[in-house]
Amino acid sequence: KYSRAERRDRAAHLLETVGLADQAGKLPGMVSGGQQQRAAIARALANDPAIILADEPTGNLDSSNGQIVIDLLAELNQKWNRTVLIATHSTLADEKASVKIGLKDGMITDHP
């Protein structure tokens, strides 16, 4: 539905949004794990979804890059008005979450 130029502009805007404008021409193996994760978020935003599902978005990242990814997802929620669901074993998202639901052995252990 969009022209090639419009798609290219959208991709450039999304890369800028996730802080990767300067990495646009690189292949995945040429950037860090944190940059790969942010590129995945940009790709997920390409179709302008209302809901973003993030399964262990910080699982393979060090704490610094993990926090960058969590902050980005929080910004998508707060500034872009996107619903963001994060499934994680990490505590990095705890202070950013508006609702937290704990699970243990498939059962809800805590909820609002």
Side-chain angles (χ1 to χ4, degrees), residues 35-112:
Q35 291 169 323
Q36 289 175 18
Q37 192 68 300
R38 287 186 281 149
I41 293 169
R43 187 176 61 239
L45 293 171
N47 291 321
D48 201 24
I51 301 172
I52 298 166
L53 304 173
D55 184 12
E56 291 291 351
T58 63
N60 294 321
L61 304 178
D62 60 44
S63 59
S64 177
N65 278 309
Q67 193 61 59
I68 290 168
V69 168
I70 292 299
D71 290 345
L72 175 59
L73 291 170
E75 180 179 333
L76 294 174
N77 173 250
Q78 295 162 2
K79 294 182 181 173
W80 289 41
N81 296 316
R82 298 297 186 269
T83 298
V84 179
L85 299 173
I86 300 173
T88 185
H89 293 92
S90 169
T91 59
L92 289 173
D94 285 359
E95 68 181 47
K96 303 284 183 173
S98 57
V99 175
K100 293 185 270 187
I101 300 173
L103 297 173
K104 182 175 182 179
D105 299 326
M107 302 295 290
I108 296 174
T109 58
D110 55 33
H111 54 84

Side-chain angles (χ1 to χ4, degrees), residues 20-34:
L20 294 176
D22 60 333
Q23 305 295 318
K26 293 186 178 178
L27 296 172
M30 300 169 69
V31 297
S32 73

